[in-house]
Amino acid sequence: FSGYQIHDSISSLSVHTQNLQRQIDELSSFSDTPAPSVTRVLYSEKDVLARGYIKKLMGLSGLSVREDAVGNIFGRWVGSQPELAPVLTGSHIDAIPYSGKYDGVVGVLGAIEAINVLKRSGFKPKRSLEVIMFTSEEPTRFGISCLGSRLLAGSEELKELLKKTVDSQNISFSDAATFAGYTLNEDLSSVFLEKGSYSAFIELHIEQGPILEEEGISIGIVTAIAAPASIKVDFEGNGGHAGAVLMPKRNDAGLAAAELALAVEKHVLESGSIDTVGTVGILELHPGAINSIPSKSHLEIDTRDIDEKRRNLVIEKIHKSALRISKSREVNLSEFKIVNQDPPALSEDSIIEATESACQELKLSYKKMISRAYHDSLFMARISPMGMIFIPCYKGYSHKPEEFAAPEDVANGVKVLALTLGKLSLS
Ligand code: HGY
Ligand code: MN
Ligand code: MN
Ligand code: MN
C-alpha cells in the first residue's frame, strides 16, 4: 500500500483536534442521563437527534449520505475508480446506560475527521472511501449485540428473530424503528452486504483496557477480537412470605440465581487461562420486595475468550450447573437460552501491515494486541478483510462516565486512520 502521493503530504496530515473534541462533547449531550454519563439507546429520541448530528457532519465533509432499512448510515467519498470495491471505516454511537462519551464515537467522528484530514492534504482517493455509523452495537434495548453489523454480515437468523423481538416495554423492533423514521416494510435482507462489497473495513476505537496507557504506547494494532457469548437464564420457585415460610419449605429463585452467578465465576476461573472472562451483568428478582421470597429470577451472562473451544466448554459447565442448582433447590429452570455464541475474528495481514507502516511514517509507537471487547469489526470480518486501530484511554475505563481519551491520543488515532485509509484506497 505505498501510496506515493500520500508520502508527500504526510506532514500536511493536520487534525482539527479542538473541533473534533467539541464534536465529541456536543454528541455526548444527546443523552438520557446527566453529564458526565452518556446513555443513548437504539431508536430513542436522543439516538434520533444524534443520528441527525452525524448525518449533518457527513454532509459538511462532502460525503454522499445514505441509510439502509435499519438505520446503518453510510457517507461516501467517491474515488477516481468508483467501480472498485471501496474502503469502509466506522463504528457506533449508541451508548449503554450511564456510560462514557468515547466508546464507538471516536471511530465515527474520528472517521469523518480522517476524511477531512485527507481532503485538506490534497489526497485524491482511487477506491472510494466510505464512513459507516452502525445502527447499534450495544445489546441494551433488544439484547442483541452488534445488531447492525450482524445484519450487514447477512445473518438470516437475526433477520427472522427481529420479526418477533420486543424490548422490555414490549415495543416491537419494527415499531421502535418506525419511531426513529425507518420503515421496515421490505424484507431485511436488503441490509445484507455481498461478500467483497468492500476491499477493507477498519475501525478506530478506544482500547477499553489499560495496556496502551500503562506501557506509554500511542497506537494499538488489533490482531484478533475475542469471541463473545451471552446467555439468558430464568429460575422459578414458589416464592412466599419472607417471615412465615420456614427455610426447609423454600425454593428460593433468588438464591438459585446467586448460586449460578458464583458458578459462572468458578467455571471461568477453572478454564486455566487469564483470557477467559465471565460476568453476570443483569440479575433481576421478582417480585423484588424485601419481605417476599423471590419466585422468579432472571440472569444474563456474558462470557468471552480468545479461544472459542475453551469458551464453549465454560458455557457447557454453566448449563450443567444451572440444571444441578434447579434440582438441588427444587426451582424450575424455565429458560436457559444462548443468545449468541460468536466465533473470534482475525484481522487481515494486509491491513495490519498498512496500519503498521502508517504508525512508522508518523513516528508513533504501536503494539499489536488482541481486543477483549467485541466490536462491529467482529462481524464485518465475515464479509470483508478487517482491521482495528486502538488508542489509549484513561486507566482503561469504559462503559462508565469516567471513560476518557486525551485529545492528542484521539488525534494520533485519526492520523493513523487517515494514512491507512489513503494507502488502502490506492491499493
Ligand atoms: O461489550 C463489548 O465488548 C462492547 O464494548 N459492546
Ligand atoms: Mn461498548
Ligand atoms: Mn464500542
Ligand atoms: Mn427470560
Side-chain angles (χ1 to χ4, degrees):
F1 300 114
S2 61
Y4 58 92
Q5 62 166 313
I6 323 175
H7 287 295
D8 315 339
S9 57
I10 281 194
S11 51
S12 70
L13 287 185
S14 73
V15 178
H16 288 184
T17 310
Q18 281 78 6
N19 200 27
L20 180 52
Q21 185 58 54
R22 214 182 359 267
Q23 290 171 0
I24 292 172
D25 296 339
E26 212 169 327
L27 185 59
S28 69
S29 68
F30 302 121
S31 166
D32 282 324
T33 50
S37 78
V38 180
T39 300
R40 190 162 48 240
V41 177
L42 175 62
Y43 298 148
S44 64
E45 178 236 338
K46 297 296 186 336
D47 182 35
V48 171
L49 290 171
R51 287 166 181 271
Y53 183 75
I54 296 296
K55 285 184 272 191
K56 188 189 77 181
L57 289 181
M58 286 181 167
L60 290 174
S61 295
L63 300 177
S64 54
V65 181
R66 76 174 179 90
E67 300 184 75
D68 67 17
V70 292
N72 289 305
I73 302 175
F74 299 80
R76 178 173 291 202
W77 178 12
V78 180
S80 58
Q81 295 184 22
E83 70 286 358
L84 295 177
V87 176
L88 183 67
T89 180
S91 192
H92 65 97
I93 62 163
D94 59 322
I96 70 170
Y98 293 96
S99 60
K101 60 184 179 181
Y102 296 88
D103 174 5
V105 165
V106 162
V108 178
L109 295 178
I112 297 171
E113 178 56 14
I115 297 290
N116 297 337
V117 165
L118 286 171
K119 287 191 172 203
R120 285 195 284 265
S121 76
F123 176 77
K124 295 276 174 277
K126 180 179 83 171
R127 292 174 183 277
S128 300
L129 290 173
E130 194 155 47
V131 176
I132 183 170
M133 187 213 87
F134 294 101
T135 198
S136 95
E137 188 264 0
E138 302 292 1
T140 313
R141 184 160 188 181
F142 294 99
I144 301 162
S145 59
C146 299
L147 189 147
S149 47
R150 279 178 199 273
L151 272 181
L152 289 166
S155 168
E156 287 291 344
E157 183 200 353
L158 178 54
K159 186 184 88 172
E160 291 314 311
L161 181 65
L162 288 176
K163 288 176 183 160
K164 51 185 189 292
T165 295
V166 294
D167 68 7
S168 54
Q169 323 295 328
N170 238 356
I171 298 172
S172 71
F173 178 78
S174 62
D175 285 352
T178 307
F179 171 83
Y182 302 105
T183 40
L184 297 193
N185 39 27
E186 84 258 38
D187 171 21
L188 285 187
S189 23
S190 68
V191 175
F192 294 0
L193 290 175
E194 292 292 312
K195 217 169 160 42
S197 312
Y198 292 99
S199 63
F201 172 73
I202 183 160
E203 180 172 8
L204 172 63
H205 205 287
I206 55 169
E207 181 198 335
Q208 296 177 307
I211 297 170
L212 293 176
E213 184 188 58
E214 276 169 5
E215 299 182 14
I217 295 174
S218 302
I219 297 288
I221 300 179
V222 172
T223 54
I225 301 173
S230 57
I231 311 164
K232 286 187 176 179
V233 181
D234 289 331
F235 287 112
E236 284 175 20
N238 295 330
H241 191 292
V245 180
L246 298 179
M247 296 308 275
K249 288 262 189 295
R250 295 186 182 197
N251 50 4
D252 185 328
L255 291 178
E259 190 172 345
L260 184 60
L262 288 173
V264 168
E265 181 190 38
K266 176 169 157 289
H267 296 322
V268 163
L269 292 175
E270 66 196 8
S271 91
S273 163
I274 192 73
D275 291 329
T276 318
V277 293
T279 313
V280 175
I282 293 176
L283 203 168
E284 291 153 356
L285 302 180
H286 178 83
I290 179 172
N291 53 356
S292 168
I293 302 165
S295 54
K296 280 192 199 134
S297 58
H298 175 81
L299 300 91
E300 300 197 16
I301 301 163
D302 175 316
T303 179
R304 315 181 191 198
D305 197 323
I306 54 169
D307 177 315
E308 188 179 2
K309 274 206 294 309
R310 207 167 42 206
R311 185 214 52 205
N312 290 346
L313 184 58
V314 168
I315 294 174
E316 277 166 38
K317 288 180 172 179
I318 292 171
H319 195 181
K320 285 202 183 85
S321 285
L323 292 165
R324 175 183 52 74
I325 291 164
S326 122
K327 252 205 227 58
S328 67
R329 291 183 175 274
E330 291 176 22
V331 293
N332 176 28
L333 176 60
S334 47
E335 185 184 66
F336 187 92
K337 184 167 165 242
I338 297 176
V339 175
N340 64 290
Q341 193 171 359
D342 301 305
L346 293 178
S347 302
E348 186 76 17
D349 287 344
S350 56
I351 300 178
I352 292 172
E353 281 149 31
T355 313
E356 197 169 359
S357 64
C359 291
Q360 287 157 355
E361 287 159 37
L362 290 164
K363 300 191 176 25
L364 288 170
S365 58
Y366 64 90
K367 173 192 184 88
K368 291 183 184 176
M369 58 202 295
I370 56 168
S371 171
R372 298 184 186 284
Y374 59 72
H375 301 281
D376 290 304
S377 295
L378 180 66
F379 300 94
M380 293 308 286
R382 296 181 181 176
I383 48 168
S384 153
M386 173 279 288
M388 284 195 79
I389 300 167
F390 273 172
I391 59 167
C393 55
Y394 176 63
K395 292 196 171 159
Y397 288 161
S398 185
H399 284 193
K400 56 187 198 176
E402 298 80 4
E403 187 179 88
F404 175 77
E408 182 224 351
D409 286 326
V410 175
N412 285 339
V414 169
K415 260 191 232 164
V416 171
L417 177 64
L419 192 45
T420 307
L421 288 174
K423 292 170 184 289
L424 295 172
S425 169
L426 298 181
S427 67

